[in-house]
């Protein structure tokens, strides 16, 4: 294992008040102090410490910030390097993991950070592939991530040879070649068709007229299906993956403590809107509605539908949603129930979830 050394900025800061002398022939001075400072900056870890966004920093206050970033990076890498053997214990061959870690050790600190992130994904893939193998299911027919049909042949070969890290990497490469979004089962080619498929031809829901450039990039639902599972609908379709990684999902799940600081506005006794600016300066609205279903213990469940803006002010759709607090008679919980329906934990189990359909429901309710 290679050790990542911390950079000590206490002895090699360049004082901005000190100017480099220039000889008459315009060649730089051979000042030994400057040479020493330059030498101290050599090496991947040192460069990571003083380079932010590709710009080498030399001002004292900025360098201190860079030093903290470098120290944090070093600690994170050390943690990941020590964690990997424990994470992969009993899952892969020791020599395969050792070779992978040695390969990562040779990278620059920033590249190591990316490599460890990728290796964490590989670990998840390994566990999934091993569960499939133990299940005895036909590897050529099983449905996998992003709708992949069957385990690719090259992945099967590595699985058979016991090279699980290689199998996990190949599997991830195949997954990344597939589209990351899909249309839910009942979503049509047009908004009108989607409304008809989901709510029927006589529905009061009409296609929305919002300017999408003024709306946020995603709408997310969180609903219980043997546990709470989120679904992210974007302008391009529903995400196969990406759950748990967005500001909106974190706000809905209260992962960043958003709800403790948010405002609570009630739509009569039918629903509650949790809203406010999140930690990154974007306006979030979360519609919280009682689920008609209950859990196995008979306890009540909730349906959450969240929208996020592109800035500190709510979007037109968010404003329409919040206007329902003044007109609770316009709110129809049955539409929200139908929109967010989920028949399995898999993201594809959300058969009606769609960005434009959600906006159409909100605008139609607001217009009454």
């Amino acid at each position: 294992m290679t050790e990542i050394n911390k950079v000590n900025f206490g002895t090699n800061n360049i004082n901005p008040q000190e100017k480099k002398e220039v000889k008459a022939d315009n060649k730089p001075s051979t000042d030994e102090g400057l040479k020493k400072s330059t030498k101290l900056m050599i090496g991947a870890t040192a460069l990571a410490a003083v380079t932010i966004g590709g710009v080498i920093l030399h001002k004292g206050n900025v360098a201190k910030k860079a030093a903290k970033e470098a120290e944090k990076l070093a600690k994170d890498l050390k943690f990941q390097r020590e964690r990997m053997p424990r994470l992969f214990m009993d899952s892969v061959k020791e020599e395969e993991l050792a070779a992978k870690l040695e390969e990562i050790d040779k990278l620059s600190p920033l590249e190591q950070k990316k490599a460890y992130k990728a290796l964490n994904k590989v670990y998840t893939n390994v566990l999934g592939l091993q569960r499939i193998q133990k299940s005895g299911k036909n590897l050529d027919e099983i449905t996998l991530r992003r709708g992949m049909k069957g385990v690719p042949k090259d992945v099967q070969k590595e699985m058979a040879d016991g090279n699980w890290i290689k199998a996990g990497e190949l599997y991830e490469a195949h997954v990344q070649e597939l589209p990351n979004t899909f249309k839910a089962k009942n979503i049509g080619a047009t908004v009108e068709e989607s409304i008809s498929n989901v709510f029927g031809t006589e529905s009061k829901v009409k296609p929305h007229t919002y300017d999408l450039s003024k709306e946020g990039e995603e709408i997310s639902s969180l609903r219980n299906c043997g546990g709470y599972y989120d679904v992210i609908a974007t302008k391009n379709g529903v995400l196969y993956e990406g759950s748990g990684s967005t500001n909106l999902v974190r706000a809905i799940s209260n992962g960043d403590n958003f709800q403790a600081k948010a405002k609570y506005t009630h739509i009569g006794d039918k629903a509650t809107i949790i809203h406010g600016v999140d930690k990154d300066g974007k306006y979030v609205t979360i519609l919280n509605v009682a689920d008609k279903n209950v859990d196995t213990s008979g306890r009540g469940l909730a349906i959450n539908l969240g929208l996020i803006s592109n800035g500190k002010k709510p979007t037109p759709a968010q404003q329409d949603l919040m206007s329902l607090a003044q007109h609770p008679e316009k709110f129809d919980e049955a539409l929200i129930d139908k929109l967010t329906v989920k028949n399995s934990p898999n993201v594809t189990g959300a058969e009606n979830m769609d960005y434009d359909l959600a906006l159409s429901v909100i605008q139609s309710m607001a217009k009454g």
Side-chain angles (χ1 to χ4, degrees):
M1 183 190 338
T2 59
E3 183 177 353
I4 301 167
N5 298 314
K6 297 179 182 178
V7 179
N8 182 356
F9 275 80
T11 59
N12 66 335
N13 277 346
I14 299 174
N15 188 334
Q17 301 299 323
E18 295 176 0
K19 295 183 179 180
K20 184 169 59 179
E21 293 183 5
V22 180
K23 295 183 178 181
D25 59 2
N26 291 325
K27 292 181 180 179
S29 168
T30 56
D31 179 83
E32 291 304 319
L34 186 57
K35 281 186 176 181
K36 185 176 181 180
S37 277
T38 303
K39 289 180 180 179
L40 286 171
M41 303 308 288
I42 296 173
T45 303
L47 286 174
V50 297
T51 307
I52 299 295
V55 179
I56 295 182
L57 309 171
H58 54 79
K59 294 184 179 180
N61 59 335
V62 186
K64 289 178 182 178
K65 180 180 178 181
K68 289 181 180 179
E69 291 290 335
E71 184 176 4
K72 182 179 182 300
L73 177 59
K75 287 181 179 178
D76 289 345
L77 294 180
K78 183 175 184 294
F79 170 78
Q80 290 293 342
R81 185 62 172 78
E82 294 174 349
R83 172 175 173 263
M84 288 302 158
R86 299 193 300 271
L87 189 66
F88 281 92
M89 186 180 296
D90 301 325
S91 297
V92 304
K93 293 184 289 189
E94 288 185 14
E95 56 269 27
E96 187 184 18
L97 178 60
K100 173 55 64 176
L101 294 178
E102 184 177 350
E103 176 185 313
I104 294 176
D105 287 342
K106 296 176 182 178
L107 303 174
S108 71
L110 293 178
E111 289 174 330
Q112 285 184 37
K113 183 178 179 179
K114 293 179 182 178
Y116 282 127
K117 183 177 180 180
L119 194 53
N120 273 285
K121 174 64 74 173
V122 168
Y123 172 70
T124 301
N125 291 343
V126 168
L127 293 186
L129 292 172
Q130 289 180 341
R131 279 196 296 269
I132 292 170
Q133 187 183 65
K134 291 176 182 177
S135 72
K137 294 179 180 178
N138 189 325
L139 298 182
D140 294 317
E141 297 178 359
I142 192 167
T143 300
L144 301 165
R145 290 167 53 200
R146 299 192 190 180
M148 181 186 291
K149 299 295 183 181
V151 178
K153 294 297 183 183
D154 56 349
V155 177
Q156 290 189 37
K157 180 182 182 305
E158 299 301 337
M159 291 169 64
D161 292 342
N163 300 323
W164 287 102
I165 291 179
K166 184 63 176 178
E169 290 176 332
L170 287 173
Y171 175 43
E172 188 62 32
H174 285 292
V175 169
Q176 294 305 318
E177 292 176 353
L178 299 173
N180 193 34
T181 60
F182 70 97
K183 279 191 175 181
K185 179 180 178 182
N186 296 321
I187 299 306
T190 64
V191 181
E192 290 89 345
E193 186 178 340
S194 298
I195 292 171
S196 178
N197 291 346
V198 175
F199 301 114
T201 55
E202 302 301 318
S203 173
K204 68 179 182 182
V205 177
K206 304 302 177 186
H208 74 83
T209 58
Y210 294 121
D211 178 352
L212 294 187
S213 68
K214 297 180 181 179
E215 297 298 325
E217 294 301 314
E218 61 192 51
I219 298 174
S220 183
S221 68
L222 181 68
R223 189 158 184 175
N224 191 286
C225 190
Y228 280 92
Y229 296 91
D230 58 85
V231 179
I232 302 172
T234 72
K235 297 173 184 178
N236 297 320
V238 177
L239 290 178
Y240 273 115
E241 302 174 294
S243 299
S245 62
T246 71
N247 287 11
L248 182 55
V249 170
R250 287 195 294 272
I252 291 179
S253 63
N254 205 30
D256 54 8
N257 207 32
F258 166 78
Q259 297 180 31
K261 301 175 183 177
K263 298 177 182 178
Y264 287 69
T265 301
H266 301 287
I267 304 177
D269 59 357
K270 297 180 177 180
T272 300
I273 301 173
I274 306 167
H275 58 105
V277 178
D278 74 359
K279 63 183 181 63
D280 290 328
K282 295 186 176 183
Y283 207 91
V284 171
T285 54
I286 303 169
L287 177 66
N288 182 275
V289 188
D291 196 330
K292 63 183 180 181
N293 302 312
V294 296
D295 67 11
T296 54
S297 302
R299 291 174 296 190
L301 301 172
I303 301 170
N304 290 279
L305 183 71
L307 288 79
I308 189 167
S309 72
N310 295 317
K312 291 184 178 181
K313 295 182 178 180
T315 70
Q318 288 177 307
Q319 291 175 23
D320 278 351
L321 181 63
M322 290 188 288
S323 74
L324 294 170
Q326 280 73 51
H327 302 281
E329 72 280 0
K330 295 181 179 181
F331 182 73
D332 189 343
E333 55 263 57
L335 294 178
I336 303 300
D337 176 62
K338 196 89 169 184
L339 171 70
T340 61
V341 69
K342 207 163 190 309
N343 57 37
S344 79
N346 296 326
V347 66
T348 51
E351 298 184 344
N352 301 334
M353 189 61 185
D354 177 72
Y355 185 94
D356 285 303
L357 188 60
L359 292 182
S360 298
V361 167
I362 292 169
Q363 190 177 68
S364 296
M365 288 193 298
K367 286 185 174 181

